[in-house]
Amino acid sequence: MLNNNGGDLRWSNWSRSVDIRPSSIEHPRTVEEIQELLRSSRDRVRVAGSGHSFTPLVATDDLLISLEGLDGDVFEVDGEAGTARLQAGASLNRLSRAMQEHGWAFKNLGDIDVQSLAGATSTATHGTGRSFPCLSAEIEGVKLVTADGSLLSVDREQHPEWLPGVRVALGALGVLVEAEVSVRPAYKLHRRTEIRPLRQTLLDAGSRWARHRNYEFFYLPYCDYAFNITHDETTAEDFSDAGGDDDEAVRQLKLLRDLTAWAPGLRRMIINLIARRFKTEETVGTSWRLLANTREYRFNEMEYHLPAERGLEAFEELYTTLEREQRRVFFPVECRRTAGDENWLSPFQHGSRISIAVHTPHRENHEWFFSLAEPIFRKYGGRPHWGKLHSLRHGDLVELYPDFEAFLDLRRRLDPDGRFLNPHTAALWGEAFGS
Ligand SMILES: Cc1cc2nc3c(=O)[nH]c(=O)nc-3n(C[C@H](O)[C@H](O)[C@H](O)COP(=O)(O)OP(=O)(O)OC[C@H]3O[C@@H](n4cnc5c(N)ncnc54)[C@H](O)[C@@H]3O)c2cc1C
């Protein structure tokens, strides 16, 4: 994603929805070098993680800092406290591998694990599971290089009152260089992927979230079935009879949509036929290998987090609307659940939420789909994923987040000159963005 094309500096995100030309891109190797970068100029600055956000959070014309070259991964594991001090610029995958060597693991992960720890916590990245909060809620403390180049610790002893602010901060408060994360001893999971009628899936979703450690489902548009995926802890031997390839399945669903545009009934019939023949897949293995997948098929995404008691109602309305109005949709619609937390900008603040995610291939226009889905999500009290496409602005966010002003106070205190602002975040914070 970083490109030095004959001196022409470029950066783009994973889905290519953001393509920028910063005036400089720096790869510091130590915390001291980051401090020096901030002290030696007054330029605006943004920090890039792995570029897996769809929203223009990282966009800047000025200085872009990447922590890809920063030394270290696991600095220390405190077995008694169940916490690990981790290098925040490292990817979740690299950290999982390194923690495994110490016999430890993240409690939960999302669909992928190539995001940086800092990027993932900054946008409240989540997996699924009724009792698992988003990753940000597992953060016990952080170290940040702030706008004036000083190193600030926020944890249970130092500035504990700022912890709910720094855990989800969209890169607005400084450069996150270290995080202390609540972790657990390494463990194995049993993943089961089965196809079930959509109606039954919706009826059973609540009890499946209650019964299984992790549960999610993917509804296949124009089909009467959904993939149901559960993960449960096990000590069984490693095993797999899974042969499925998610990216290939998405390609085939697209092909089918394109070939049967003239006969939607035929499309439903074919997908139903294939779905009914799907053989349940079982896999046992290391937690992080089974929770996270690789995603080669690039897409754009919108995901809203809905109050748990209304999430499936919102899903029903989305489903009915798509069946009635939009035959172009083919990408599976994902539905997950996350526990609540108390962080100011966490979409899960003050209660468990059900998340619904819609996707389009990255080369296709997404407006027609996302502008259809977003009013439904908003009607049911949804809050958008910070890293995924949405159209909300300052006024909307103030209504959705009771502690929005507390976050803005902290932002103004730590970055009084707005060095970490960019046009996207300025619009979210309700600030002017001048050059
Ligand atoms: C294929 C795919 C699958 C995904 N699956 C999930 C999923 O299952 N669950 C989920 O919740 N989300 C998911 N996401 C979204 C993704 O987890 C978030 O957008 C996350 O923020 C990406 O992390 P990143 O390291 O790429 O950060 P970036 O996108 O590079 O940055 C995100 C934000 O973090 C800030 N930031 C990054 N590093 C630092 C730092 N060191 N200090 C301060 N600020 C920093 C950036 O400035 C920016 O504001 C997915 C995205 C993709 C493309």
Side-chain angles (χ1 to χ4, degrees):
M1 278 159 295
L2 289 177
N3 220 325
N4 193 340
N5 203 348
D8 180 17
L9 288 178
R10 286 184 86 154
W11 181 93
S12 53
N13 65 344
W14 179 84
S15 79
R16 312 289 188 259
S17 59
V18 182
D19 187 11
I20 53 164
R21 291 160 193 266
S23 60
S24 59
I25 300 179
E26 297 290 344
H27 293 86
R29 300 194 66 83
T30 63
V31 172
E32 291 71 29
E33 283 180 28
I34 300 173
Q35 292 183 275
E36 188 47 34
L37 277 173
L38 283 150
R39 285 194 188 119
S40 61
S41 90
R42 300 308 303 153
D43 282 356
R44 290 206 201 260
V45 52
R46 291 299 288 168
V47 190
S50 309
H52 276 62
S53 294
F54 302 90
T55 41
L57 283 170
V58 170
T60 181
D61 293 338
D62 298 292
L63 169 62
L64 183 66
I65 297 181
S66 159
L67 302 194
E68 272 169 9
L70 204 62
D71 287 338
D73 35 52
V74 179
F75 298 132
E76 185 187 21
V77 179
D78 179 342
E80 214 160 288
T83 56
R85 278 179 44 232
L86 305 174
Q87 199 263 92
S91 75
L92 298 175
N93 180 281
R94 180 167 132 196
L95 293 169
S96 287
R97 287 171 191 271
M99 273 200 288
Q100 196 176 356
E101 284 174 22
H102 299 260
W104 291 82
F106 287 112
K107 293 177 181 171
N108 204 12
L109 287 168
D111 268 356
I112 55 163
D113 62 0
V114 294
Q115 309 96 319
S116 65
L117 171 61
T121 184
S122 297
T123 60
T125 289
H126 65 105
T128 189
R130 203 172 78 152
S131 56
F132 292 99
C134 65
L135 177 66
S136 324
E138 306 288 9
I139 305 287
E140 301 282 337
V142 297
K143 284 191 172 45
L144 282 166
V145 178
T146 53
D148 62 3
S150 49
L151 188 63
L152 171 74
S153 295
V154 178
D155 53 36
R156 305 261 173 225
E157 269 87 48
Q158 303 164 82
H159 307 291
E161 70 283 8
W162 291 346
L163 261 178
V166 299
R167 289 186 178 116
V168 185
L170 280 59
L173 305 180
V175 185
L176 205 62
V177 290
E178 187 182 311
E180 186 179 346
V181 183
S182 177
V183 292
R184 56 153 291 170
Y187 59 106
K188 288 171 73 167
L189 290 173
H190 172 194
R191 180 176 65 206
R192 188 179 157 90
T193 306
E194 62 183 313
I195 199 124
R196 307 186 79 228
L198 178 65
R199 283 282 134 226
Q200 201 57 44
T201 297
L202 292 173
L203 284 175
D204 294 346
S207 68
R208 291 202 142 202
W209 269 310
R211 248 187 8 255
H212 295 283
R213 181 186 197 275
N214 310 95
Y215 169 64
E216 68 190 301
F217 68 85
F218 287 88
Y219 150 63
L220 302 174
Y222 303 101
C223 159
D224 301 317
Y225 292 89
F227 276 108
N228 283 241
I229 304 175
T230 56
H231 288 88
D232 289 293
E233 215 168 317
T234 182
T235 53
E237 287 297 308
D238 285 10
F239 165 83
S240 181
D241 65 5
D245 173 344
D246 291 356
D247 288 330
E248 187 48 34
V250 172
R251 272 187 210 101
Q252 286 176 9
L253 285 168
K254 178 176 184 300
L255 186 69
L256 202 57
R257 174 203 64 176
D258 295 345
L259 293 178
T260 61
W262 52 276
L266 179 64
R267 177 174 163 199
R268 180 183 296 280
M269 210 176 76
I270 297 172
I271 309 182
N272 278 346
L273 202 69
I274 298 171
R276 278 197 288 269
R277 292 167 59 115
F278 181 82
K279 209 172 107 329
T280 297
E281 295 181 342
E282 319 251 5
T283 305
V284 171
T286 310
S287 61
W288 53 272
R289 289 186 196 276
L290 293 203
L291 288 168
N293 306 282
T294 49
R295 299 277 183 238
E296 304 290 341
Y297 190 100
R298 285 175 206 263
F299 52 78
N300 277 306
E301 180 174 348
M302 167 181 280
E303 183 177 50
Y304 265 72
H305 309 297
L306 303 122
E309 58 287 0
R310 304 211 68 194
L312 293 178
E313 220 183 310
F315 181 90
E316 287 268 6
E317 182 164 341
L318 176 70
Y319 159 78
T320 315
T321 308
L322 293 186
E323 287 276 325
R324 194 180 53 227
E325 294 178 29
Q326 250 327 327
R327 302 224 164 91
R328 270 190 281 175
V329 181
F330 68 90
F331 228 109
V333 177
E334 187 175 16
C335 189
R336 297 183 276 185
R337 181 162 178 172
T338 299
D341 63 56
E342 296 307 315
N343 298 313
W344 297 338
L345 292 196
S346 168
F348 311 99
Q349 193 198 30
H350 300 157
S352 172
R353 292 204 166 219
I354 286 178
S355 307
I356 306 177
V358 292
H359 314 74
T360 57
H362 80 295
R363 284 187 215 283
E364 280 188 16
N365 178 306
H366 52 74
E367 286 297 325
W368 58 272
F369 186 11
F370 294 177
S371 60
L372 186 74
E374 193 169 36
I376 300 175
F377 294 146
R378 294 201 61 192
K379 176 175 151 190
Y380 289 92
R383 290 173 176 154
H385 189 305
W386 291 111
K388 302 189 184 180
L389 297 172
H390 67 86
S391 69
L392 300 200
R393 287 295 171 259
H394 182 66
D396 309 308
L397 297 168
V398 170
E399 281 179 23
L400 289 173
Y401 287 91
D403 291 315
F404 208 72
E405 199 48 51
F407 179 83
L408 295 186
D409 281 347
L410 180 59
R411 196 201 72 71
R412 284 187 286 260
R413 180 164 178 167
L414 296 183
D415 184 20
D417 300 329
R419 291 189 72 190
F420 287 99
L421 283 179
N422 74 1
H424 178 69
T425 55
L428 302 180
W429 311 145
E431 303 264 351
F433 184 81
S435 50

